[in-house]
Amino acid sequence: QVQFVESGGGLVQPGGSLRLSCVASGRDFSIYTMGWYRQAPGKQRELVATSTSIGITTYAESVKGRFTISRGSARGNARNMLYLQMNGLKAEDTAVYYCNKVPPDQVYWGQGTQVTVSS
C-alpha cells in the first residue's frame, strides 16, 4: 500500500532553518518526479518544490533560493526518501507540508508535518 510519512516540522523563528524528511513506501518512487507541497490555513495546497528521477529540480518563486529539495540515493530503501531543506524561513512559510508524486496520488496524502514560523 502506498504511504507517505513526513517529519521534521516544528516551530522556528523567522530566519531559521528546518529540514523535512519524507519516507514513501509501497512502490519504487525513484522513477517518479516527487514534490513537496504545502497548505496554509484557509488556502489551497500548493506545490513548492519538485525533483525528477534524475535530480532536476524546480521551485515555486516564493521559495526559490531559500529551499532545497533532494532525494535519497538511488539504491536500497534510500531511493524512496525525499528531503526539503528550508532556510531563511518567513512567517508566510507557515503551513502543513506534504510529500507526494508530481502530479500527486490524490488518494494517498500523508498526515503532513506542521511548520510554524513565528517569533
Side-chain angles (χ1 to χ4, degrees):
Q1 182 178 354
V2 172
Q3 189 175 18
F4 300 105
V5 179
E6 302 90 352
S7 63
L11 173 63
V12 63
Q13 293 186 342
S17 298
L18 284 173
R19 179 176 169 85
L20 306 185
S21 298
C22 167
V23 179
S25 59
R27 187 181 298 169
D28 180 3
F29 287 93
S30 66
I31 63 174
Y32 296 108
T33 295
M34 296 294 292
W36 283 97
Y37 302 76
R38 68 184 181 187
Q39 187 167 20
K43 295 187 177 181
Q44 289 192 335
R45 189 173 287 158
E46 63 172 340
L47 179 62
V48 296
T50 71
S51 176
T52 70
S53 60
I54 58 172
I56 298 172
T57 59
T58 65
Y59 299 92
E61 282 299 321
S62 60
V63 307
K64 197 173 291 185
R66 300 187 297 121
F67 289 12
T68 303
I69 187 172
S70 61
R71 309 179 70 141
S73 65
R75 297 182 179 181
N77 293 332
R79 69 183 186 275
N80 278 356
M81 295 293 298
L82 190 70
Y83 305 97
L84 187 68
Q85 178 67 43
M86 305 187 296
N87 299 327
L89 283 162
K90 304 176 181 180
E92 51 263 43
D93 296 319
T94 295
V96 180
Y97 285 72
Y98 304 86
C99 64
N100 206 318
K101 291 171 59 221
V102 180
D105 274 328
Q106 294 289 358
V107 177
Y108 299 117
W109 289 104
Q111 294 297 309
T113 186
Q114 175 71 49
V115 172
T116 302
V117 185
S118 175
S119 56

